[in-house]
């Protein structure tokens, strides 16, 4: 594993690169705690091992800000970031460009997998029409305040969600499905029965009983990502 740094005009970002000498690279965007956690590293290593791809574990906070807690800290940053999708998508596009330039890869070889907050950001990267291969949201917010009506690229969207998630309800999945269908985008959604919010998260989370680690759902999620991210797009 190698530490990496990349910059846009707005911020400097950090991350960890796992080089498997593969053609494909997965960008892992973790939950609100950012990339410098054991949870984020576990997600990155399991994707690299299971999918046989290079992996970057990073986040969108920038090096100038690290959240210390969720309530009154990370939640404020998240509300501001997701509050204006147009600005967010522009910033995410420059983030992707800077990362790809640093790694000497193209967006078409990049698959983005986001968890919780990272899932919402992953899908907004896809909506930014940055010509990514695929974007995945795992127990993140799949819907958007500004749905797209078309997409020039053929980026695939993969939503994997807990069917019993009391924080991000299934109405968000329905809104995502409607948006993607009307826009003619290649999309897949997988609802995991009985799984709650944050089902891949082994650690304690501030949402308490609304979130619960589910080893079976986490395994199905990993298998689903491997099945859906790399197959050819549907006609």
């Amino acid at each position: 594993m190698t530490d990496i740094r990349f910059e846009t005009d707005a911020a400097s970002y950090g991350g960890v690169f796992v080089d498997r000498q593969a053609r494909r690279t997965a960008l892992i965007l973790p939950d609100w705690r950012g990339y410098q956690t054991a949870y984020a590293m576990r997600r990155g290593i399991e994707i690299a091992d299971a999918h046989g791809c290079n992996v970057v574990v990073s986040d969108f906070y920038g090096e100038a800000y690290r959240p210390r807690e969720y309530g009154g800290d990370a939640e404020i940053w998240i509300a501001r970031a997701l509050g204006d999708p147009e600005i967010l998508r522009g910033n995410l596009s420059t983030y992707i460009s800077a990362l790809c330039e640093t790694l000497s890869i193209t967006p078409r070889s990049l698959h983005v997998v986001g968890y919780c907050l990272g899932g919402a950001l992953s899908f907004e990267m896809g909506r930014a029409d940055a010509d990514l291969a695929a974007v995945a949201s795992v127990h993140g917010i799949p819907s958007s305040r500004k749905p797209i009506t078309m997409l020039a690229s053929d980026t695939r969207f993969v939503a994997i969600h807990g069917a019993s998630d009391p924080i991000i309800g299934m109405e968000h999945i329905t809104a995502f499905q409607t948006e993607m269908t009307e826009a003619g985008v290649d999309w897949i959604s997988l609802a995991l029965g009985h799984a709650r919010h944050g089902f891949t998260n082994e650690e304690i989370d501030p949402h308490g009983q609304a979130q619960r680690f589910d080893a079976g759902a986490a395994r199905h999620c990993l298998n689903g990502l491997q099945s859906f991210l790399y197959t050819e797009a549907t006609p």
Side-chain angles (χ1 to χ4, degrees):
M1 293 190 291
T2 304
D3 290 335
I4 62 170
R5 296 290 181 271
F6 53 103
E7 295 184 359
T8 68
D9 291 339
S12 298
Y13 301 93
V16 174
F17 181 53
V18 181
D19 187 359
R20 295 295 169 85
Q21 299 292 309
R23 291 185 299 105
R24 298 187 301 242
T25 299
L27 167 61
I28 308 302
L29 298 173
D31 62 4
W32 69 269
R33 294 170 295 178
Y35 81 90
Q36 297 172 328
T37 67
Y39 170 77
M41 290 300 109
R42 284 197 300 273
R43 299 291 77 80
I45 293 299
E46 76 177 2
I47 291 289
D49 289 345
H51 299 185
C53 60
N54 309 320
V55 162
V56 176
V57 183
S58 184
D59 59 49
F60 192 58
Y61 286 130
E63 293 188 310
Y65 170 66
R66 289 288 104 188
R68 290 171 294 180
E69 57 186 10
Y70 185 81
D73 188 0
E75 67 176 346
I76 296 174
W77 186 97
I78 293 168
R80 288 173 179 168
L82 300 182
D84 192 327
E86 289 292 346
I87 292 177
L88 175 61
R89 291 169 194 172
N91 291 335
L92 288 170
S93 291
T94 58
Y95 172 97
I96 294 166
S97 296
L99 174 62
C100 288
E101 181 178 354
T102 298
L103 298 178
S104 298
I105 63 174
T106 65
R108 288 302 299 168
S109 67
L110 190 63
H111 300 73
V112 184
V113 181
Y115 299 82
C116 290
L117 167 62
L121 295 175
S122 172
F123 269 17
E124 291 301 333
M125 285 182 176
R127 292 183 178 100
D129 218 353
D131 199 30
L132 296 164
V135 292
S137 170
V138 178
H139 48 71
I141 301 174
S143 58
S144 176
R145 294 188 178 189
K146 189 174 179 61
I148 57 173
T149 58
M150 63 171 294
L151 206 64
S153 60
D154 61 353
T155 300
R156 168 174 286 178
F157 286 68
V158 179
I160 301 181
H161 208 73
S164 296
D165 187 333
I167 297 175
I168 304 172
M170 291 298 289
E171 66 272 13
H172 290 278
I173 290 290
T174 300
F176 156 74
Q177 293 171 342
T178 299
E179 173 193 9
M180 296 294 140
T181 298
E182 293 180 351
V185 174
D186 182 28
W187 65 270
I188 294 171
S189 68
L190 176 64
L192 300 175
H194 312 293
R196 299 188 184 186
H197 186 67
F199 55 81
T200 67
N201 191 343
E202 302 92 341
E203 284 84 20
I204 295 173
D205 188 271
H207 297 304
Q209 287 301 308
Q211 167 166 306
R212 180 175 296 170
F213 174 65
D214 186 321
R219 183 173 62 254
H220 291 319
C221 174
L222 186 62
N223 293 337
L225 289 171
Q226 186 172 15
S227 297
F228 300 140
L229 280 180
Y230 312 115
T231 54
E232 293 297 321
T234 56

